[in-house]
Amino acid sequence: STAWNHRPAKLAACLLWPYKRTPDGYAKMSNGDGKTLLVHRRVCEAVHGAPPTSKHQAAHMCGKGHEGCVNPRHLMWKTQSENMADKLLHGTHSRGERSANAKLTTSDVLKIRQLRHTKRHHELAKLFGVSRYTIRNVIYRRDWAWLPATTSQT
């Protein structure tokens, strides 16, 4: 029997790295040559072997990598899309207004999509303080694609 292959019913407590962290909270260390290494990736390699491909990421099943968790039982190799899906489940994603680079809010995006038939792109850009390119990406759902295309007016 494989007791905890993917998601155990209850994970052991996180093991938090007490030393240096990246700006977004991940445990880091130096390899002695001045190169920064992500500790969770090194731990995952030690426990699970080399990643299946160079594109695999050391993913946290606990969702607390940003808090410095390095518990080997919480780590496994995942593709970027699998890791991003986990971040959505954990609520640790940085899409939308949670992104440090966001210039719009969810409310702004919905309003832009609502106004797209009554105002030109450059007018919307000026109104919301962003570029016409950003407005186009919002309207055509290249950005903020998980939000509805339009909202019903009542």
Side-chain angles (χ1 to χ4, degrees):
S1 160
T2 53
W4 68 273
N5 265 356
H6 296 290
R7 286 193 189 273
K10 183 173 180 175
L11 287 172
C14 289
L15 176 60
L16 301 181
W17 185 250
Y19 306 108
K20 291 185 177 183
R21 306 259 188 101
T22 64
D24 49 353
Y26 287 83
K28 73 176 184 175
M29 60 186 264
S30 173
N31 70 351
D33 295 334
K35 182 178 178 186
T36 298
L37 304 173
L38 293 174
V39 177
H40 69 284
R41 187 165 177 91
R42 301 297 157 231
V43 170
C44 196
E45 284 177 359
V47 174
H48 301 294
T53 71
S54 63
K55 294 186 178 188
H56 273 74
Q57 301 175 346
H60 292 84
M61 293 187 294
C62 61
K64 304 213 182 216
H66 64 287
E67 293 179 18
C69 179
V70 294
N71 186 328
R73 291 182 160 229
H74 296 186
L75 300 169
M76 67 185 300
W77 296 117
K78 292 200 173 189
T79 64
Q80 181 178 9
S81 60
E82 290 169 336
N83 200 13
M84 292 304 113
D86 279 355
K87 287 181 178 187
L88 287 173
L89 290 172
H90 298 142
T92 57
H93 60 82
S94 60
R95 73 178 186 179
E97 56 195 283
R98 291 184 66 162
S99 170
N101 297 323
K103 297 200 175 15
L104 299 170
T105 64
T106 299
S107 176
D108 291 339
V109 169
L110 295 174
K111 190 69 172 169
I112 289 166
R113 290 179 180 162
Q114 188 178 37
L115 293 172
R116 75 175 191 257
H117 296 299
T118 60
K119 293 198 180 290
R120 297 172 59 92
H121 289 190
H122 73 274
E123 293 172 314
L124 290 169
K126 187 173 183 178
L127 182 65
F128 289 93
V130 296
S131 70
R132 285 183 289 171
Y133 178 78
T134 297
I135 296 296
R136 235 183 351 263
N137 284 343
V138 165
I139 289 172
Y140 297 116
R141 302 184 74 217
R142 291 183 199 114
D143 293 338
W144 300 77
W146 62 93
L147 293 178
T150 59
T151 56
S152 59
Q153 294 180 339
T154 54

